[in-house]
């Protein structure tokens, strides 16, 4: 009876030790991060042949492989992605997110991975708009949260136009094509890609300097993920993979 009791006790203790090791040893297992992204922001994130592709998508995949971490991508749209990060529902955002002083109050950013500019687009057959002066008294379309939207807000009083905001670049472009808006301001690589894909618009005027894009986490959180992103980005730039990814979607 005593031996039986001891045998049972030994089994229980062994099981408890195994559970403890499993629970306490979680640090040895790779954490799976939840990363949110935009829906339509080509060439950074978009769908092609049923697959989510783009500079951001290829970049995070290559960095995760380089640094040995796992992630799950949640496709939410830009505003929803940022809100999900603020609410601690996701670990990070990669969505052509401009690094701004205002956003730095809430988020920690990676090293910049892309320097963007801003361009103005009009309907392909438009011959009346060639400069910002031609926007006076008109409506201009912008996509929420973009460098294009920020730039339009800065100059709209000077050039006396109003802005209309969209969650999706495709809807913004359509508004210009139907004549509801005379023009749109968009991050240059995004607008240039759309024009290249025959979206019905053309670029007019000079490009304006925008901000750099960064990978964002909540302030003071997920420092290890941010560090891995920066290390992976540096490695990809050093071995040529970064430029290969950019060239794939911009040339």
């Amino acid at each position: 009876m005593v031996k039986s009791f001891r045998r049972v006790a030994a089994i229980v203790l062994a099981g408890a030790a195994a559970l403890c090791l499993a629970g306490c040893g979680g640090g040895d297992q790779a954490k799976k991060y939840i990363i949110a992204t935009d829906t339509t922001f080509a060439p950074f994130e978009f769908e092609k042949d049923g697959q989510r592709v783009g500079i951001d998508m290829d970049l995070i995949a290559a960095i995760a492989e380089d640094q040995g971490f796992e992630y799950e991508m949640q496709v939410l749209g830009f505003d929803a992605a940022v809100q999900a990060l603020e609410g601690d529902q996701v670990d990070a955002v990669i969505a052509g997110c401009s690094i701004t002083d205002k956003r730095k109050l809430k988020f920690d950013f990676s090293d910049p991975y892309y320097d963007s500019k801003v361009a103005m687009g009009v309907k392909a057959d438009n011959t009346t708009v060639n400069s910002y002066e031609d926007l006076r008294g008109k409506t201009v379309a912008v996509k929420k949260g973009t460098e294009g939207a920020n730039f339009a807000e800065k100059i709209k009083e000077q050039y006396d136009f109003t802005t209309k905001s969209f969650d999706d670049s495709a809807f913004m472009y359509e508004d210009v094509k139907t004549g509801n808006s005379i023009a749109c301001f968009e991050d240059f690589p995004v607008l240039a890609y759309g024009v290249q894909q025959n979206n019905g618009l053309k670029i007019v005027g000079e490009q304006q300097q925008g901000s750099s894009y960064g990978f964002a986490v909540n302030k003071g959180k997920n420092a290890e993920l941010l560090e891995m992103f920066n290390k992976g980005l540096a490695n990809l730039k050093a071995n040529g993979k970064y430029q290969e990814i950019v060239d794939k979607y911009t040339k």
Side-chain angles (χ1 to χ4, degrees):
M1 182 69 178
V2 173
K3 289 183 179 180
S4 177
F5 176 79
R6 287 176 177 171
R7 188 158 46 247
V8 171
I11 293 172
V12 171
L13 287 172
L19 287 172
C20 181
L21 286 172
C24 300
D28 296 331
Q29 298 175 347
K31 178 181 177 181
K32 188 173 186 178
Y33 297 97
I34 308 299
I35 301 174
T37 191
D38 198 355
T39 50
T40 56
F41 198 59
F44 293 91
E45 41 266 332
F46 61 104
E47 278 195 7
K48 184 177 182 180
D49 300 326
Q51 299 293 318
R52 180 65 50 179
V53 296
I55 293 173
D56 286 354
M57 300 299 94
D58 288 10
L59 187 61
I60 191 64
I63 289 175
E65 182 179 1
D66 182 85
Q67 293 294 300
F69 66 85
E70 296 182 359
Y71 67 95
E72 175 188 325
M73 189 64 70
Q74 289 193 0
V75 181
L76 304 175
F78 185 79
D79 281 349
V82 172
Q83 290 168 11
L85 182 57
E86 287 186 73
D88 283 325
Q89 296 171 318
V90 299
D91 297 305
V93 165
I94 185 166
C97 187
S98 299
I99 303 172
T100 65
D101 290 338
K102 184 177 180 180
R103 287 178 180 154
K104 283 181 180 179
L105 297 175
K106 295 181 179 180
F107 308 126
D108 288 329
F109 283 94
S110 68
D111 295 334
Y113 67 83
Y114 194 93
D115 295 326
S116 181
K117 292 187 177 181
V118 175
M120 180 168 67
V122 298
K123 191 176 179 181
D125 60 2
N126 185 307
T127 59
T128 63
V129 177
N130 297 292
S131 70
Y132 304 152
E133 289 288 349
D134 299 322
L135 302 178
R136 292 188 181 278
K138 305 293 197 307
T139 299
V140 173
V142 297
K143 182 182 175 183
K144 295 176 184 177
T146 63
E147 279 299 292
N150 292 337
F151 180 73
E153 289 300 317
K154 289 178 182 177
I155 68 167
K156 70 178 186 180
E157 288 188 10
Q158 179 182 354
Y159 293 101
D160 190 29
F161 62 82
T162 58
T163 56
K164 185 192 297 186
S165 298
F166 293 86
D167 293 321
D168 188 301
S169 293
F171 290 138
M172 177 179 69
Y173 298 155
E174 193 62 31
D175 203 65
V176 176
K177 286 193 292 181
T178 57
N180 292 323
S181 295
I182 192 66
C184 65
F185 281 102
E186 176 71 291
D187 295 35
F188 173 73
V190 180
L191 182 57
Y193 184 86
V195 171
Q196 188 181 48
Q197 299 299 310
N198 300 312
N199 67 353
L201 303 185
K202 65 179 179 180
I203 295 173
V204 295
E206 296 182 358
Q207 295 178 38
Q208 303 294 329
Q209 186 60 50
S211 298
S212 299
Y213 295 160
F215 180 74
V217 300
N218 260 337
K219 202 156 193 68
K221 297 183 179 180
N222 284 310
E224 74 289 341
L225 177 58
L226 204 59
E227 183 179 1
M228 286 190 289
F229 185 94
N230 285 337
K231 286 182 178 179
L233 178 62
N235 289 343
L236 296 187
K237 286 185 174 182
N239 64 26
K241 180 66 176 178
Y242 168 84
Q243 197 59 50
E244 180 183 320
I245 290 171
V246 172
D247 290 347
K248 176 181 176 182
Y249 294 101
T250 58
K251 287 190 175 181

